[in-house]
Amino acid sequence: MADWASISADDSFDDDLGGGLDGDGVEFRRARLFASGSFENNVFFKAQYDFGGGDADFKDMYIGMKKIPAIGNIKIGHFKEPFSLEEQGSSKYITFMERGLPNVFSPSRNTGVMAYDAALGKRMSWAIGAFYDADGFGEGFNDSTDINVTARVTGAPVYADDGRKAVHLGLSYTRQFRDEDETTLRYRQRPEAHITGVRLANTGSFGLDDADIMSLEAAMVMGPFSVQAEYMQSFVGSDAANDPSFSGYYVYGSYFLTGESRNYKPGSGSFGRVKPNRNFSFHKPGAGAWEVGVRYSNLDLNDEAIEGGELSNLTLGVNWHLNPNVRMMLNYVYADLEDRENVEDDNANIVQARFQVDF
């Protein structure tokens, strides 16, 4: 994924945030290689590395077993915790270049063990796991507690026409166990543009005892039209910050001008690869798949003793799927920040593009 972006903001706003919010740039957002496979149809593995940013990081790195009686499937290693509809979808398939603002609450990838399966004719999915909150390469032995217990359940009360008509509902929850007075927490978020390192909303670091985070998710597909929404809230146990609570949500709609639909997978409660009705070609008729979308997202990091700001984003997007493996994306983002300590209320305008190939 090669990204290009231009960001404009008032000089005073840029100065308040320490610089880095006004300019142009390019980056390889992701550059990944992986190997995966299975043995005897019941043991599987994956080893994935990301070289985006100029260094190597583990992404998915696991081994698992499937078709286990009374359990279903087990996965052990480094992978995504079962939390959030948008987070569970691969970055290769998400509708916009970046996930919505509430994604700051998602625990994403950690090292642990997870049991999961589908039920009711794959119209329902469930997953639960325990994870050690550490960096991508693991973390050495220490005497602090950094354990997450995370679960997700989804259902598709409507699923017809191979997914061209579908309704998705889901609930995620994670309990984050930490050592009182020995752990800190910081929520901070970019304006849905990774190319800048500036976090418009930022709580700063404060003492953490524990946290409970939940996500409510819903989506609907009606042929070429779809809508998706999530609401997330983090209830933080912190004597230092007087037990604040933070929240965020997004809602978006997309429409395929060429008649395709988003690929909903009820067995995992996620969306997958888009396959154009006709691949783009210079030699025979075919325009690929053209998709337009609009999203509004909000993140509120103000509560009790914390004034991290309230950030709202409006994103407009156009996606051109030349074929199932090649996609070009263009996003415009209007980011508006209010009520952050020592930062004057202001906004930024972002235009960014992505050129993506995956296989």
Side-chain angles (χ1 to χ4, degrees):
M1 298 179 183
D3 287 6
W4 302 61
S6 177
I7 304 176
S8 62
D10 289 342
D11 290 342
S12 59
F13 190 41
D14 191 35
D15 291 342
D16 285 348
L17 294 166
L21 193 63
D22 189 42
D24 309 281
V26 297
E27 70 169 345
F28 287 101
R29 178 67 175 92
R30 297 174 180 89
R32 296 179 178 176
L33 299 174
F34 76 90
S36 65
S38 62
F39 304 100
E40 300 297 331
N41 201 34
N42 57 12
V43 177
F44 58 93
F45 71 92
K46 185 175 183 180
Q48 182 185 54
Y49 306 86
D50 188 2
F51 298 89
D55 59 2
D57 294 307
F58 286 162
K59 290 302 178 181
D60 289 332
M61 187 72 59
Y62 58 77
I63 186 170
M65 297 184 67
K66 55 186 177 181
K67 301 180 181 179
I68 303 172
I71 296 177
N73 312 282
I74 288 181
K75 188 185 293 185
I76 303 170
H78 188 259
F79 50 90
K80 287 183 178 179
E81 298 188 26
F83 191 92
S84 165
L85 171 60
E86 196 172 39
E87 181 64 29
Q88 294 305 299
S90 170
S91 59
K92 296 180 293 186
Y93 313 137
I94 57 178
T95 303
F96 300 92
M97 288 176 59
E98 300 296 334
R99 295 179 174 90
L101 296 176
N103 186 63
V104 70
F105 300 125
S106 296
S108 192
R109 288 178 173 88
N110 277 307
T111 299
V113 55
M114 180 178 75
Y116 64 100
D117 203 2
L120 302 180
K122 294 188 176 181
R123 296 279 290 269
M124 173 186 174
S125 75
W126 63 267
I128 184 169
F131 300 83
Y132 196 96
D133 196 324
D135 63 30
F137 290 102
E139 187 169 302
F141 177 80
N142 60 63
D143 61 355
S144 64
T145 300
D146 295 293
I147 302 296
N148 300 342
V149 176
T150 306
R152 180 174 183 250
V153 60
T154 73
V158 175
Y159 185 81
D161 195 13
D162 292 327
R164 286 184 59 86
K165 295 181 180 179
V167 173
H168 164 94
L169 299 173
L171 171 66
S172 306
Y173 169 78
T174 180
R175 168 71 173 183
Q176 300 183 341
F177 298 90
R178 301 295 186 266
D179 285 343
E180 186 176 353
D181 300 326
E182 294 185 16
T183 311
T184 60
L185 172 69
R186 176 176 60 183
Y187 288 131
R188 56 179 186 167
Q189 184 62 293
R190 294 176 170 91
E192 292 176 354
H194 185 269
I195 205 164
T196 175
V198 177
R199 272 69 167 185
L200 270 67
N202 192 338
T203 63
S205 297
F206 60 93
L208 171 68
D209 302 333
D210 52 56
D212 294 279
I213 308 172
M214 53 81 68
S215 173
L216 298 172
E217 50 190 71
M220 180 180 68
V221 179
M222 296 296 292
F225 174 71
S226 72
V227 292
Q228 179 173 317
E230 285 191 79
Y231 174 83
M232 300 185 193
Q233 188 155 3
S234 175
F235 302 91
V236 180
S238 170
D239 290 338
N242 202 23
D243 297 339
S245 174
F246 307 113
S247 63
Y249 65 91
Y250 71 81
V251 58
Y252 76 75
S254 78
Y255 185 80
F256 282 90
L257 303 175
T258 45
E260 294 81 2
S261 63
R262 296 180 68 200
N263 180 15
Y264 178 63
K265 301 185 293 183
S268 61
S270 63
F271 286 92
R273 187 184 302 276
V274 171
K275 297 182 179 180
N277 293 330
R278 291 186 177 182
N279 292 341
F280 171 76
S281 173
F282 288 110
H283 307 293
K284 57 184 178 180
W290 285 85
E291 179 186 18
V292 294
V294 57
R295 175 176 66 193
Y296 180 81
S297 57
N298 177 272
L299 176 65
D300 188 351
L301 298 183
N302 289 330
D303 195 43
E304 297 296 341
I306 305 298
E307 297 180 39
E310 182 174 359
L311 179 59
S312 299
N313 277 12
L314 176 65
T315 302
L316 306 177
V318 178
N319 300 327
W320 182 23
H321 304 258
L322 284 76
N323 54 58
N325 304 98
V326 179
R327 178 169 70 162
M328 298 183 184
M329 309 177 74
L330 179 65
N331 284 183
Y332 164 75
V333 182
Y334 174 80
D336 184 71
L337 178 66
E338 297 179 346
D339 301 328
R340 177 175 167 184
E341 186 176 15
N342 299 323
V343 177
E344 185 175 346
D345 294 357
D346 215 324
N347 57 72
N349 293 273
I350 304 165
V351 177
Q352 55 186 355
R354 171 170 295 166
F355 304 88
Q356 169 186 323
V357 59
D358 70 90
F359 51 90

